[in-house]
Structures are given as structure tokens and as C-alpha cells.
Amino acid sequence: QEWRVECAPDAAEGDAAEEQREGQPEPTAAWLEGLARDEGEEALERLLPHELLGVGEFSPVEAAKAAFRRLGRHFHPDKSASPHSALLFDQLRAALDQFKSGSWRTAQDDDDRRRFFTDAAVVELNRTSHAAAAASEGPLWLVQYFAPWCHQCIANKAYYVLAARRLSQILGDRVRVGALRCGV
């Protein structure tokens, strides 16, 4: 989450901050470029639209448009020499369209490509199901808060799934293992 604090520009910065950044690489762009290079297209598809654009989940559409313009200038296929520019530009355009329509919020739980944990031993929770799990009198929930862009979360994903399977074998239905995607 540190990159978000350092890299996501404040919408109130305005044109003065934009002029100050001219000629400097966009930090969010550098992060996206590194993610595309190191993890590939699959990692980009796991990101939610607001994560890809580097804005908050409940940011206004104007902030998402500004982020798209900023990142679009960097990754436009006609202007960038990066081998990943066309892929990133297409992903950014799709993310902006989804952010504007709000469709990603309703489809988020049904889209298996966006799931970080694909193993059935780990239940990927949304905010509503997380609140219900916390308030339930049923099984005890062990919940991991993760970010799909976090290299530590990616590295520990297999261990978390292994622990979930083992807990299921030992304790059965008395303990459930879940994961909640962190926001900004």
C-alpha cells in the first residue's frame, strides 16, 4: 500500500503539480510497467479498475479520468517505446470504462479471473460477506487482508492456501478461512 501513498497524486494538486511533474516519470506508471514486465498480463487482469488507475475505490469519476489521462500519455502506443505500452493502454482504457459505469462492483464477485485465491479452501470475501462473517455466531473465521499488487502477498499466497487446507482437515467446519482485498 505504500506505493499508493507515494504515487497516487492528490486530486487537489491541480495544474501546478502537473507542470512540476513534467519530464519526470510517473511513479504509478513505473509501477505498472514493472508489474507488466515481471508478472505479465495475468497480474494486470487481477487488479480492479481503481487499483489499475491508482485512485481510491470511491474516488469521483473526474479523478479516474485525470489518472487515465496522466497514465494514457505515458503508455499511448504511438508515443511510448515500452514493449508493454499497448497492453497497458488497453487495460487502462477498459479500467476507466468500468470505473465510469460502476459495473465492476457488481461483477467483482462473479469474475474468477479477478480472484486472487482460486483454491476453494480460501473464501474470497467482499465487504458485505466480511461483515456477515464477523457478526456470525457460526464458525470462527481466520481472515487475511491482502492486496493483489503486494509482492509479499503474492509470495505468501501458496502458504496461506496450504494453511487453509490443513486447518480444514484438522478442525473441519469449526474454522473457515477467508481473504479480504484491501483498499487504498
Side-chain angles (χ1 to χ4, degrees), residues 3-26:
W3 73 269
R4 295 222 183 268
V5 174
E6 296 171 7
C7 301
D10 188 3
E13 288 179 345
D15 295 333
E18 189 69 32
E19 290 173 12
Q20 182 182 9
R21 282 194 298 265
E22 285 296 320
Q24 297 178 6
E26 171 72 38

Side-chain angles (χ1 to χ4, degrees), residues 3-168:
W3 73 269
R4 295 222 183 268
V5 174
E6 296 171 7
C7 301
D10 188 3
E13 288 179 345
D15 295 333
E18 189 69 32
E19 290 173 12
Q20 182 182 9
R21 282 194 298 265
E22 285 296 320
Q24 297 178 6
E26 171 72 38
T28 305
W31 176 77
L32 284 172
E33 179 72 29
L35 186 65
R37 180 186 63 245
D38 298 340
E39 307 286 334
E41 183 176 353
E42 182 180 306
L44 293 173
E45 289 178 354
R46 278 196 315 258
L47 296 176
L48 296 173
H50 70 278
E51 295 169 341
L52 193 63
L53 292 167
V55 296
E57 182 177 356
F58 299 104
S59 295
V61 174
E62 292 76 26
K65 287 180 182 178
F68 172 76
R69 283 191 299 274
R70 218 177 27 256
L71 293 167
R73 282 193 299 263
H74 187 80
F75 290 117
H76 195 281
D78 294 339
K79 297 182 181 183
S80 176
S82 168
H84 307 287
S85 63
L87 168 68
L88 286 164
F89 190 78
D90 290 341
Q91 292 281 341
L92 288 168
R93 185 177 17 212
L96 179 63
D97 291 341
Q98 289 175 352
F99 192 90
K100 287 194 297 191
S101 71
S103 65
W104 65 274
R105 287 188 174 96
T106 57
Q108 175 180 351
D109 295 331
D110 300 329
D111 191 356
D112 286 339
R113 289 176 320 162
R114 293 202 188 276
R115 292 195 185 281
F116 187 73
F117 290 97
T118 55
D119 193 281
V122 179
V123 178
E124 196 161 321
L125 305 169
N126 59 26
R127 289 182 183 194
T128 306
S129 59
H130 176 259
S136 80
E137 302 223 357
L140 176 68
W141 280 86
L142 175 64
V143 179
Q144 176 191 16
Y145 300 90
F146 72 94
W149 60 85
C150 171
H151 291 290
Q152 192 67 37
C153 294
I154 293 168
N156 290 330
K157 180 167 88 169
Y159 297 113
Y160 195 70
V161 169
L162 185 64
R165 287 182 188 161
R166 186 72 177 129
L167 279 170
S168 178

